[in-house]
């Protein structure tokens, strides 16, 4: 069992195996319009993290699903990362999870039952940390290992935070450091250090539960979590939703140190190139920007941080809440400004 490497079964790993944003947009454009009841507060129109349905004036249901192929070889670590990533969408909407359903697809002829059990236990351990049960799920026999969750949460309708509420002049804050996709590429190449793996595991298993507290602040106008489309892709979604432009200071970006060394040496995922091909025309980087800098802002994050748009006067309070929840890694990385939905990386 110890000789089995989960990543050998997957053509991509973590959120790096998401369909590229340009392709996804084309596919979704072919979906016929559906029923949109007035109590559906958040649906498919803003590319948000989860759906939100109002039950009454004080309660709304937050529903999301997320699953992917292995990003690491250790079964329990894979389960922990996938579960943390799935619950992030509930927190990004300002909600609090109340239960989860497991999504399981496994090559039963290749993986021993003990390995599959460790994946499930890893996911369940994260749900216990979040204070929720895994109340059911569904499993199938497939060619590649797949694991994730349906996350169900609750939120006050007045406290829902979408990716489209940003305002001109808002400060942009990123709650976790970038570089997860780069570290995963280093792992596949066999060049990731033990310390680098520990940092990767630390951040991908850190719950974004601070999102529920941030949503209680009136000056927090928009939130999303940074995952497979990279920082640039998810910030552009925020720009399009608000009808604004964004400016980011590259030197202000929090980055996992080993990821910075690896990307400078040319280590990156194929998903980074696919991301750039999908939205690079809407990103302006400074004239002396290097290829590795482009790779970093498009790097697919698995279980990445929250991207928060808030009133500038509130930035220090937001940073303090994040630090109390998960350590001092959050940074103010830029601001929203008037203009067409483009991103400038200075």
């Amino acid at each position: 069992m110890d000789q089995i490497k989960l990543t050998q079964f997957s053509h991509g790993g973590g959120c790096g195996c998401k369909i590229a944003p340009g392709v996804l947009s084309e596919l979704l454009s072919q979906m016929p319009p559906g029923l949109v009841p007035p109590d559906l507060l958040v649906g498919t129109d803003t590319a948000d993290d989860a759906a939100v349905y109002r039950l009454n004036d004080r309660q709304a249901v937050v529903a999301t699903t997320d699953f992917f192929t292995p990003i690491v070889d250790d079964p329990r670590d894979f389960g922990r990362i996938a579960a943390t990533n799935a619950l992030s969408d509930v927190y990004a909407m300002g909600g609090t999870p109340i239960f989860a359903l497991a999504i399981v697809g496994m090559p039963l002829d290749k993986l021993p039952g003990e390995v599959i059990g460790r994946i499930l236990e890893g996911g369940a351990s994260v749900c216990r940390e979040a204070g929720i049960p895994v109340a059911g799920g569904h499993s199938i026999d497939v060619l590649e290992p797949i694991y994730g969750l349906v996350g169900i949460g609750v939120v006050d309708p007045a406290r829902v935070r979408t990716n489209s509420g940003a305002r001109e002049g808002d400060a942009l804050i990123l709650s976790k450091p970038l570089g997860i996709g780069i570290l995963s590429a280093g792992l596949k190449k066999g060049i990731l250090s033990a310390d680098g793996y520990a940092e990767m595991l630390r951040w991908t298993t850190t719950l974004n539960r601070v999102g529920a507290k941030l949503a209680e602040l009136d000056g927090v106008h928009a939130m999303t979590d940074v995952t497979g489309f990279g920082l640039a892709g998810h910030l552009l979604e925020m720009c399009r939703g608000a009808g604004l432009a964004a400016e980011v200071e590259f030197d202000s970006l929090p980055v996992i140190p080993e990821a910075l060394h690896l990307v400078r040496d040319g280590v990156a995922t194929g998903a980074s190139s696919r991301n750039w091909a999908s939205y690079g025309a809407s990103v302006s980087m400074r004239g002396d920007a290097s290829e590795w800098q482009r790779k970093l802002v498009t790097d697919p994050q698995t279980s990445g941080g929250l991207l928060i748009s808030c009133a500038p006067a509130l930035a220090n309070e937001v940073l303090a809440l994040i630090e109390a929840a998960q350590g001092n890694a959050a940074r103010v990385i830029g601001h929203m400004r008037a203009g067409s939905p483009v991103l400038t990386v200075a």
Side-chain angles (χ1 to χ4, degrees), residues 87 91 96-100 123-135 149 152-154 207 209:
L87 295 180
Y91 294 124
T96 300
I98 54 175
F99 71 90
S125 71
V126 165
C127 290
R128 287 194 298 271
E129 182 183 349
I132 64 172
V134 179
L149 299 176
I152 304 296
V154 292
L207 289 164
R209 65 172 87 218

Side-chain angles (χ1 to χ4, degrees), residues 128-267:
R128 287 194 298 271
E129 182 183 349
I132 64 172
V134 179
H138 185 64
S139 59
I140 59 173
D141 186 0
V142 292
L143 297 177
E144 293 183 278
I146 296 170
Y147 177 71
L149 299 176
V150 173
I152 304 296
V154 292
V155 67
D156 184 329
R159 294 301 179 189
V160 174
R161 293 296 182 265
T162 69
N163 65 5
S164 60
R167 300 180 187 179
E168 182 180 350
D170 273 1
L172 291 169
I173 294 174
L174 184 61
S175 71
K176 290 183 184 180
L178 300 173
I180 297 301
I182 295 160
L183 295 181
S184 71
L187 179 65
K188 277 200 165 185
K189 291 177 177 291
I191 58 175
L192 184 66
S193 72
D195 287 343
Y197 184 83
E199 279 293 283
M200 178 182 175
L201 193 61
R202 172 194 175 187
W203 291 113
T204 54
T205 59
T206 295
L207 289 164
N208 281 326
R209 65 172 87 218
V210 70
K213 290 185 177 181
L214 295 176
E216 296 176 0
L217 303 177
D218 290 336
V220 171
H221 300 138
M223 284 195 295
T224 190
D225 61 342
V226 179
T227 54
F229 299 160
L231 171 65
H234 291 285
L235 182 47
L236 281 170
E237 288 181 337
M238 189 175 280
C239 290
R240 295 181 188 116
L244 296 170
E247 291 189 9
V248 164
E249 292 290 334
F250 185 87
D251 292 339
S252 296
L253 296 178
V255 186
I256 297 171
E258 186 159 340
L260 190 59
H261 295 311
L262 288 173
V263 74
R264 282 175 165 165
D265 288 339
V267 177

Side-chain angles (χ1 to χ4, degrees), residues 15-16 21 178-182 226-236 250 253 263 267-283 285 290-302 343 345:
C15 288
L178 300 173
I180 297 301
I182 295 160
V226 179
T227 54
F229 299 160
L231 171 65
H234 291 285
L235 182 47
L236 281 170
F250 185 87
L253 296 178
V263 74
V267 177
T269 70
S272 180
S273 296
R274 293 193 296 273
N275 282 340
W276 183 261
S278 294
Y279 57 67
S282 297
V283 181
M285 300 194 71
S290 302
E291 176 72 8
W292 68 265
Q293 293 173 311
R294 192 187 80 183
K295 295 290 188 185
L296 186 61
V297 299
T298 58
D299 184 49
Q301 304 304 289
T302 298
L343 167 61
V345 183

